[in-house]
Amino acid sequence: MTPNGLPSDVTRREEFFRAVADAVSNHVWINAPDGVPIHINASWTNYTGLTFEETKKGGWRNAMHPDDIAAIDSARTAAMGTESEYSFEYRVRRKDGVYRWHVARVVPARDSSGKTAAWVGTATDIEDIKSAEVLLRESEERFRLACEGSGTGAWEWDIAADRVRWSDRVYDIYGLKPGEFSGRVSDFGALTHADDAPRVMKAIEDALSGAASYRVELRVIHKNGRHRWIYSAGEVYRDASGKPLRMLGVVNDITDRKETEQRLVQQAEALWQSNQELEQFAYVSSHDLKEPLRKIASYADLLRSKELSNLSGAGAHYLEGITDGVMRMRALIDDLLSFSHLSQQTSVDDSIDMNKVVADVLEDLDSAIQEATATVMVAPLPTIKASGTQMRQLFQNLIGNAIKFHGDRPPQVNVSSALDGDSWTFTVRDNGIGIDPQYFAQIFRVFQSLHPRHKYPGTGIGLAVCKKIVERRGGTISVTSMPGQGSSFVVRLPVQPTAASTVN
C-alpha cells in the first residue's frame, strides 16, 4: 500500500494520467460524482489564471460566460441522471479577460461494479473555427443577397451522392416549385433541350476531368412547355488527391438577350438583303440610263454639226446647255456605277507595290498636273496585301482632289506612309483651299459637293468611293483641315486584311 491508501499500481496509473493531462494543450479535468473537481490540468490554470483550489471552490463558474452557465448546468444534470457522456459548446474567459469559444466532452469513469466513480472531461478552443463559421455564414448570406438582387440562381452538386441542390431562383427559372426537382443529374438532363443536352454533358465531363471550366449556354424546358435560354457556370472542388467532390455554380436567365440577338441577326439579314437589292437596282438603273443619254448626246452632236449655223444665239445657248447636262449626267452615272460596283465586286488580295500604284495614278493625272503646274512629292511606300484596282481608284481620287481644289498658289501634294502598330497609315497632304471642320462628315457622303460645279467640276462621289473602299477593308479614312490652310487625308489599312476585305 502507498501512503494515500491506494494500491501502488493504481497510484502509478493516476500519476501517469496526471502527467499526460498536464502535457496536452487541451483543458482536462476530473470531477467527483457530485461534480466537485478532483483534478485540473496545467492548461486550465495557465489559460484562466485560476488555481485548482479556486476552481474547486466554484471559481470555474466565474470563468464561464454568464449566458452559457444555464446550458452547461442543464447538460450536466441530464447526463448525471442517465450516467451518460455529454458535450456542449461554451465560452471560457482567459486570464486577460477575453472570452473564447470551446467545445467540451465529458464521459463517466466507472468502477469495477459499473458505477460512475468520476467524470472525465476535455475542452478544446474552437474560437477560430467559430469565427470561420460566422464568416462563412456572412459570405453565404452576401452571396444569397447578391444572387437574389441580380436575378441569379445558385446550385450545388454533391458528386459522390449525385445530388443537386437549387436555390429558389433556379426553381423559378424552370417554372418549378422548391422540391419538385429530384436533385439527380439525370433528371436535370431531362429538363434540357434535346439539341443542347449532348453539349451540356460534354461541358460537365470536361469540367470534371479538368480540361475546362464549366461555362455553357443552353435551352431549358420550362414547366409551361416553352424553352428558355440560360447561362450556367460552375467550378469543381476536389480533395487532396484531385478527386472531384462537388461543383458549385450559378444560373442566369438570358432568354431576353438571346431573343434580342436573334432579332438583330434577322434584322441584319433583312438589311443585307435590302442593301443587295438596292445596289443591284442602282447598278441596273444606272446602266439602263446610259442608252437614252447616248441618244440625246447623239442628237445634240447632229444639231451642232448640221444646224448650228441656223440656230439663233439663244438656240445655240440651249444646245450648249443640253450638251453640258448630258455630259454631267453621264459622269454621274459612271460614278454611280463605280460606287455600286464596289459592293458587287469580289476580288482576291495580292501583294501590291504602292510605289507602282501611285506612279500609275500620277501618269493618269499627268494632264491635270501640267495644267495646274502642280508638284507631287511621293515618299517611299510599302508593299501591302490589297486589291490593286481599288488602291489605284483610292489614290486617284485623293491625289486628284488635292490637285483640283487649289487656290491661287500652284498645288503642292505630299504622299507618305508609316507603319503604326498593326496598320499602315497613308497620308495625302496638300496646300489647297482647305475644308471647314463642320463639313468633315458631309464630304464622305454620296453626291455631296461643297463648291459650285462651274468652279470645281465633279459629281461628289469620289470621297464616298474612297470611304467605301477603305472601310470594306477594315480600315478608316479621316481628314484634318482648315479653310485656306490645306488638307490632310489619312487612310489607315490593317497590315493583315480583315474578313470584310475578302468581299470588295
Side-chain angles (χ1 to χ4, degrees):
M1 288 289 200
T2 59
N4 59 12
L6 295 174
S8 58
D9 60 334
V10 174
T11 300
R12 285 196 298 273
R13 286 197 297 272
E14 182 180 347
E15 291 174 349
F16 177 75
F17 170 78
R18 291 174 183 269
V20 172
D22 286 339
V24 299
S25 59
N26 292 354
H27 311 321
V28 181
W29 68 88
I30 303 175
N31 288 349
D34 60 1
V36 176
I38 298 173
H39 173 73
I40 300 288
N41 73 338
S43 173
W44 170 264
T45 300
N46 293 335
Y47 193 89
T48 63
L50 296 172
T51 65
F52 171 71
E53 291 300 324
E54 291 172 329
T55 301
K56 183 176 181 180
K57 293 177 180 180
W60 67 271
R61 286 180 174 270
N62 295 329
M64 303 296 106
H65 194 287
D67 293 344
D68 299 336
I69 291 177
I72 295 171
D73 287 344
S74 176
R76 186 177 64 174
T77 300
M80 291 179 68
T82 59
E83 295 191 358
S84 58
E85 66 176 72
Y86 64 101
S87 63
F88 54 90
E89 293 182 359
Y90 65 115
R91 284 161 287 185
V92 179
R93 188 184 67 237
R94 294 188 313 202
K95 56 186 176 184
D96 61 2
V98 175
Y99 284 98
R100 291 178 65 86
W101 278 99
H102 286 64
V103 60
R105 180 170 180 265
V106 184
V107 299
R110 306 180 190 279
D111 59 20
S112 57
S113 66
K115 186 177 181 180
T116 299
W119 293 88
V120 180
T122 64
T124 304
D125 187 318
I126 59 169
E127 179 65 29
D128 293 340
I129 296 175
K130 296 288 284 187
S131 298
E133 289 177 350
V134 171
L135 291 175
L136 180 59
R137 284 195 298 271
E138 291 176 349
S139 177
E140 289 177 342
E141 180 64 13
R142 287 195 296 271
F143 177 70
R144 184 186 66 80
L145 292 174
C147 286
E148 290 180 356
S150 64
T152 299
W155 53 267
E156 178 182 6
W157 177 26
D158 183 334
I159 298 173
D162 190 25
R163 287 291 174 184
V164 179
R165 292 193 303 117
W166 284 353
S167 69
D168 290 348
R169 175 56 182 154
V170 182
Y171 278 101
D172 183 57
I173 290 173
Y174 279 82
L176 301 174
K177 295 180 181 178
E180 287 187 339
F181 173 55
S182 69
R184 291 187 295 270
V185 173
S186 58
D187 290 338
F188 161 71
L191 296 173
T192 303
H193 192 286
D195 293 344
D196 299 337
R199 180 166 49 83
V200 174
M201 297 311 296
K202 177 65 165 55
I204 293 175
E205 292 171 2
D206 288 345
L208 294 178
S209 68
S213 296
Y214 180 70
R215 305 284 187 274
V216 65
E217 292 183 357
L218 65 144
R219 286 163 293 180
V220 300
I221 303 172
H222 194 273
K223 189 175 183 178
N224 62 15
R226 298 181 60 189
H227 298 146
R228 299 197 66 81
W229 277 97
I230 67 169
Y231 170 76
S232 183
E235 295 294 336
V236 178
Y237 293 84
R238 307 173 187 273
D239 62 16
S241 67
K243 180 182 178 181
L245 297 177
R246 59 179 181 152
M247 282 184 72
L248 297 178
V250 294
V251 169
N252 276 314
D253 188 328
I254 59 170
T255 303
D256 291 343
R257 191 198 83 191
K258 296 295 285 188
E259 290 178 349
T260 299
E261 289 176 355
Q262 184 62 31
R263 285 195 299 270
L264 289 174
V265 169
Q266 293 172 350
Q267 290 171 2
E269 291 175 349
L271 182 61
W272 180 86
Q273 183 64 34
S274 176
N275 284 340
Q276 290 294 103
E277 291 172 356
L278 286 173
E279 289 167 355
Q280 183 66 22
F281 173 78
Y283 182 82
V284 172
S285 297
S286 300
H287 189 273
D288 290 348
L289 283 173
K290 278 192 168 184
E291 185 56 36
L293 278 178
R294 188 178 296 111
K295 185 175 291 187
I296 294 171
S298 176
Y299 282 127
D301 288 341
L302 286 173
L303 283 173
R304 181 179 291 104
S305 63
K306 295 186 177 183
E307 302 293 337
L308 184 60
S309 59
N310 297 328
L311 294 175
S312 64
H317 177 71
Y318 297 152
L319 179 60
E320 188 64 28
I322 292 172
T323 303
D324 181 66
V326 168
M327 290 178 63
R328 174 167 168 72
M329 192 64 180
R330 181 179 290 170
L332 280 169
I333 291 173
D334 286 342
D335 283 351
L336 184 58
L337 281 171
S338 177
F339 188 76
S340 299
H341 188 58
L342 286 173
S343 299
Q344 301 291 330
Q345 182 184 27
T346 301
S347 65
V348 178
D349 289 335
D350 295 316
S351 293
I352 304 300
D353 183 352
M354 293 304 296
N355 296 290
K356 177 68 165 57
V357 168
V358 173
D360 291 342
V361 167
L362 295 181
E363 185 176 339
D364 291 341
L365 295 173
D366 183 63
S367 295
I369 293 172
Q370 296 298 328
E371 182 179 343
T373 64
T375 301
V376 182
M377 303 294 294
V378 182
L381 302 176
T383 296
I384 66 172
K385 295 286 284 186
S387 163
T389 301
Q390 292 184 7
M391 290 300 100
R392 186 165 176 169
Q393 190 175 11
L394 171 66
F395 280 88
Q396 183 151 340
N397 281 327
L398 294 177
I399 297 173
N401 281 353
I403 295 169
K404 178 168 66 173
F405 293 101
H406 69 85
D408 297 332
R409 297 174 296 174
Q412 291 185 353
V413 184
N414 291 274
V415 181
S416 60
S417 67
L419 182 61
D420 182 12
D422 58 357
S423 297
W424 281 110
T425 299
F426 296 91
T427 303
V428 178
R429 187 175 69 255
D430 64 59
N431 65 338
I433 61 175
I435 306 168
D436 191 313
Q438 67 176 310
Y439 298 119
F440 283 177
Q442 179 179 332
I443 62 175
F444 291 105
R445 298 172 187 159
V446 178
F447 300 133
Q448 296 295 313
S449 180
L450 305 182
H451 309 286
R453 290 195 302 273
H454 70 273
K455 189 171 183 180
Y456 296 104
T459 60
I461 293 181
L463 288 177
V465 170
C466 292
K467 185 173 186 289
K468 195 162 191 177
I469 289 173
V470 171
E471 290 185 347
R472 289 180 70 84
R473 301 195 61 76
T476 62
I477 183 169
S478 59
V479 62
T480 57
S481 181
M482 289 295 292
Q485 298 181 21
S487 304
S488 291
F489 284 84
V490 179
V491 173
R492 290 181 176 84
L493 296 174
V495 173
Q496 295 296 330
T498 63
S501 69
T502 60
V503 178
N504 298 293

